[in-house]
């Protein structure tokens, strides 16, 4: 079996994996590293998702990297533009030449005696191993092989095509068939989350009609696809200064909006619904279709770029239906109310299957570790698991903001260990652990379904996970590394 050794192994070549490679290359040049990627392409989510209209619901000034700012005119970019940005970034810094494609990590095993991880790799029908001192998991937060689709009665009776957005473009489960030709067709999109809000107006451009069927509403906010203030300043300010201003504008605006929503949920709800009424008109039943039972930010907000969903509704191309599915029938869907919704194609935009670190098996000194039994340390490491960090972004802001801070912290940690001759670092949690709660406090279905398998968080730092960029910035860049919880050890010679 092939086996080689590196100082740091990065798993995953998406947004966070590219960031990890950049920071390691620039801040820890003395360390050897490589990236393994289970798929055959760079870009992670932005290469994988190919459904019509796929885009980010975070602004590109913060979804883009701090070390290579986004220069495009669109503040809300589509998937193809984001993927090209990631490819260009990887090529500019030589990261693309350090990626081993088609190599999926199945198991990792730590030896305290050697201070090494042994990483089992699957590549086609072959197996290999890589050994590393530090493991940096940048695998995202959901399963690529299959999305989440509930089972409804009569699904086999439907005469048309049923497709999950995750399988569009020949990806994931159900990808053994061609994408449906939806031009001139009647389409039902089941779901109320970000994917449904994005795909419905995109399909409506060619479809005969799209019905967005939701069991319960989500908050949908309109956001301009382009930031007119930033674009007006292009050419008038140095690019570096403009990028810095645009980034901090969005960071502070997002933090302020989130805090207002949590402190004043009632006023925030009314403001959001008022904005929808202003677009759809006073006669539209906004209270039924856009007024969730939960408070703002109990789940992530959905973004309608340039109000595209609302404009499609006003144009008669998209209809909203809020009801429960009774069963599938040959002609479409029968609802609990008795209504029959006709369809040629049904798109199940019903969510993802959340999975931290891609379900990789973790063994520490011969003992299997379940992530659901651990506490998150500073949002990037896990109790009693040595020399392992994972990149997990914000739920209330862009993914990249948190991941870059995590990359900076990991580099600080590795340099600290090298200066002092340490080979192991371990967030130590004693038998009497602090009171714990879910690491992610969202009520979203994909979070609740994975709750038992997710790490927990404590009530106090460093076991507390903050959804606050400024707090994390201070902790990650300037906080003590030897904080009384992190244990450091030298290898016995």
């Amino acid at each position: 079996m092939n086996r080689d050794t590196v100082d740091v192994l990065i798993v995953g070549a998406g947004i966070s994996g590219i960031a990890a490679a950049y920071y390691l290359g620039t801040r820890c040049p003395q360390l050897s590293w490589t990236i393994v990627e289970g798929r055959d392409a760079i870009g992670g989510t932005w290469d994988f998702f190919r459904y019509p209209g796929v885009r980010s619901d975070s602004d590109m000034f913060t979804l883009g990297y701090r070390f290579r700012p986004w220069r495009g005119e669109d503040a809300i970019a589509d998937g193809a533009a984001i993927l090209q940005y990631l490819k260009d970034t990887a090529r500019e810094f030589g990261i693309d030449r350090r990626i081993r494609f088609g190599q999926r990590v199945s198991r990792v095993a730590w030896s305290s005696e050697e201070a090494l991880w042994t990483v089992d790799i699957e590549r086609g029908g072959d197996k290999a191993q890589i050994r590393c001192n530090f493991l940096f998991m940048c695998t995202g937060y959901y399963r690529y092989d299959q999305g989440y689709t509930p089972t409804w009665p009569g699904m086999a009776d439907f005469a048309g095509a049923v497709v999950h957005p995750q399988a569009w473009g020949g990806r994931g489960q159900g990808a053994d068939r061609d994408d449906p030709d939806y031009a001139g067709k009647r389409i039902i999109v089941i779901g109320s989350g970000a994917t449904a809000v994005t795909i419905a107006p995109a399909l409506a451009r060619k479809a005969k009609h799209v019905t967005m069927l939701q069991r319960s509403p989500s908050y949908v906010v309109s956001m301009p696809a382009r930031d007119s203030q930033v674009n007006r300043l292009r050419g008038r300010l140095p690019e570096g200064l403009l990028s810095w201003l645009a980034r901090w504008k969005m960071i502070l605006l997002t933090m302020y909006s989130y805090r207002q929503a949590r402190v004043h949920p009632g006023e925030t709800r009314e403001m959001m619904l008022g904005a929808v009424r202003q677009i759809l008109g006073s006669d539209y039943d906004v209270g039924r279709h856009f007024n969730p039972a939960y408070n703002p930010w109990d789940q992530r907000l959905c973004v309608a770029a340039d109000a595209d969903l609302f404009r499609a509704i006003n144009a008669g191309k998209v209809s909203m239906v809020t009801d429960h599915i009774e069963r599938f029938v040959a002609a479409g869907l029968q609802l609990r109310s008795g209504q029959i919704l006709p369809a040629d194609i049904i798109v199940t935009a019903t969510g993802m299957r959340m999975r931290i670190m891609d379900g990789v098996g973790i063994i520490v000194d011969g003992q299997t570790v379940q992530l659901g039994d651990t506490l998150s340390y500073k949002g990037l490491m896990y109790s009693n698991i040595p020399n392992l960090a994972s990149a997990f972004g914000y739920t209330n802001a862009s993914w990249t903001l948190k991941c870059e801070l995590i990359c900076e912290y990991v580099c600080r940690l590795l340099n600290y260990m090298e200066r002092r001759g340490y080979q192991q670092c371990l967030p130590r949690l004693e038998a009497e652990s602090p009171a714990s709660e879910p690491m992610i406090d969202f009520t979203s279905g994909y979070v609740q379904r994975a709750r038992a398998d997710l790490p927990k968080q404590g009530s106090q730092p460093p076991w507390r996970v903050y959804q606050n960029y400024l707090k994390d910035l201070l902790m990650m860049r300037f906080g003590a590394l030897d904080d009384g919880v992190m244990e450091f050890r030298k290898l016995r010679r």
Side-chain angles (χ1 to χ4, degrees):
M1 180 181 293
N2 294 330
R3 175 189 286 185
D4 55 10
T5 302
V6 293
D7 293 317
V8 184
L9 180 65
I10 302 167
V11 182
I15 279 186
S16 50
I18 294 170
Y22 169 82
Y23 282 100
L24 281 169
T26 54
R27 301 195 177 190
C28 304
Q30 75 282 6
L31 299 180
S32 62
W33 57 269
T34 194
I35 302 176
V36 292
E37 165 58 49
R39 301 173 60 249
D40 294 320
I42 200 171
T45 292
W46 302 108
D47 173 74
F48 182 78
F49 282 128
R50 300 293 179 90
Y51 61 81
V54 60
R55 67 185 178 218
S56 168
D57 60 356
S58 295
D59 68 276
M60 290 305 301
F61 306 121
T62 58
L63 190 71
Y65 299 118
R66 186 169 63 90
F67 62 85
R68 187 177 184 270
W70 171 257
R71 307 296 191 194
E73 292 190 356
D74 289 341
I76 301 294
D78 63 27
I82 299 171
L83 177 60
Q84 190 59 53
Y85 167 78
L86 294 176
K87 288 180 176 179
D88 292 344
T89 302
R91 183 172 55 252
E92 180 176 332
F93 296 103
I95 295 167
D96 55 345
R97 299 191 297 272
R98 308 277 292 271
I99 304 171
R100 306 181 188 186
F101 292 106
Q103 300 196 15
R104 183 183 180 278
V105 174
S106 59
R107 192 189 78 148
V108 297
W110 171 261
S111 166
S112 293
E113 183 178 349
E114 299 178 282
L116 286 174
W117 286 101
T118 299
V119 180
D120 291 344
I121 303 286
E122 297 176 356
R123 49 185 189 188
D126 298 328
K127 296 184 182 298
Q129 288 183 334
I130 300 177
R131 285 154 63 91
C132 63
N133 174 251
F134 197 92
L135 188 58
F136 201 169
M137 302 295 292
C138 299
T139 54
Y141 65 104
Y142 65 92
R143 291 184 60 165
Y144 281 94
D145 58 341
Q146 57 180 254
Y148 173 73
T149 301
T151 300
W152 290 283
M155 291 184 73
D157 299 335
F158 178 55
V162 179
V163 59
H164 192 286
Q166 198 163 316
W168 215 291
R171 309 302 171 110
Q173 189 180 49
D176 56 344
R177 58 173 177 244
D178 294 333
D179 294 335
D181 178 8
Y182 60 91
K185 301 293 179 62
R186 300 165 301 174
I187 303 174
I188 297 174
V189 176
I190 303 174
S192 61
T195 301
V197 167
T198 300
I199 199 172
L203 293 173
R205 296 182 193 123
K206 292 169 59 177
K208 181 178 181 180
H209 188 77
V210 176
T211 300
M212 186 169 150
L213 171 63
Q214 57 185 8
R215 184 174 56 187
S216 58
S218 296
Y219 290 103
V220 183
V221 296
S222 176
M223 182 173 176
R226 294 188 172 186
D227 189 315
S228 59
Q229 292 178 327
V230 172
N231 288 339
R232 277 198 301 268
L233 292 173
R234 293 190 187 279
R236 301 182 183 182
L237 292 178
E239 276 196 358
L241 175 60
L242 180 59
S243 297
W244 184 87
L245 290 172
R247 186 177 180 87
W248 274 101
K249 167 192 167 183
M250 294 310 302
I251 289 171
L252 296 175
L253 181 61
T254 301
M255 289 179 61
Y256 173 79
S257 300
Y258 177 77
R259 176 170 173 75
Q260 287 296 104
R262 302 311 274 173
V263 174
H264 305 290
E267 291 94 329
T268 303
R269 178 195 297 266
E270 287 307 312
M271 182 184 68
M272 290 179 177
L273 297 186
V276 175
R277 289 191 186 97
Q278 188 172 4
I279 301 172
L280 295 181
S282 57
D283 293 337
Y284 193 85
D285 195 351
V286 171
R288 177 171 178 80
H289 301 307
F290 292 99
N291 186 17
Y294 56 86
N295 284 329
W297 281 113
D298 283 352
Q299 299 183 22
R300 194 174 173 99
L301 305 183
C302 301
V303 173
D306 287 334
D308 58 356
L309 174 63
F310 304 127
R311 289 189 289 108
I313 292 172
N314 282 336
K317 295 290 290 181
V318 172
S319 297
M320 301 293 296
V321 175
T322 303
D323 204 336
H324 289 68
I325 297 172
E326 187 71 25
R327 62 177 295 108
F328 279 58
V329 294
L333 294 177
Q334 178 181 326
L335 305 182
R336 186 176 295 177
S337 63
Q339 180 183 2
I340 300 290
L341 292 181
D344 304 302
I345 300 169
I346 295 176
V347 178
T348 55
T350 45
M352 63 186 69
R353 296 182 184 271
M354 194 172 190
R355 186 162 67 177
I356 303 295
M357 294 201 289
D358 200 30
V360 170
I362 303 173
I363 297 173
V364 174
D365 292 328
Q367 300 295 314
T368 299
V369 176
Q370 302 295 335
L371 278 180
D373 296 332
T374 68
L375 256 63
S376 175
Y377 173 83
K378 297 185 178 179
L380 74 145
M381 298 180 74
Y382 304 98
S383 57
N384 301 331
I385 300 181
N387 290 39
L388 182 149
S390 71
F392 196 93
Y394 289 117
T395 57
N396 64 348
S398 85
W399 183 264
T400 316
L401 281 176
K402 178 68 175 287
C403 289
E404 282 197 271
L405 291 179
I406 289 173
C407 292
E408 292 181 44
Y409 179 89
V410 167
C411 291
R412 282 185 66 209
L413 182 64
L414 292 172
N415 285 331
Y416 177 89
M417 291 171 65
E418 185 176 40
R419 288 194 303 268
R420 288 159 176 78
Y422 295 125
Q423 286 78 42
Q424 177 178 300
C425 60
L426 174 75
R428 175 67 69 186
L429 183 64
E430 302 300 339
E432 293 186 8
S433 63
S436 64
E437 56 189 77
M439 185 180 79
I440 306 172
D441 62 356
F442 269 13
T443 61
S444 305
Y446 68 93
V447 175
Q448 296 304 310
R449 289 191 295 270
R451 191 168 180 173
D453 299 322
L454 296 178
K456 308 297 189 297
Q457 65 170 319
S459 58
Q460 299 294 329
W463 305 110
R464 187 73 181 169
V465 178
Y466 294 108
Q467 299 295 332
N468 184 296
Y469 181 74
L470 291 180
K471 284 185 177 180
D472 284 338
L473 185 149
L474 292 173
M475 176 178 66
M476 300 291 191
R477 289 187 185 170
F478 308 110
L481 295 169
D482 190 355
D483 59 1
V485 172
M486 183 72 80
E487 287 186 359
F488 295 95
R489 185 177 73 88
K490 296 181 180 179
L491 189 64
R492 295 177 182 174
R493 302 294 183 182

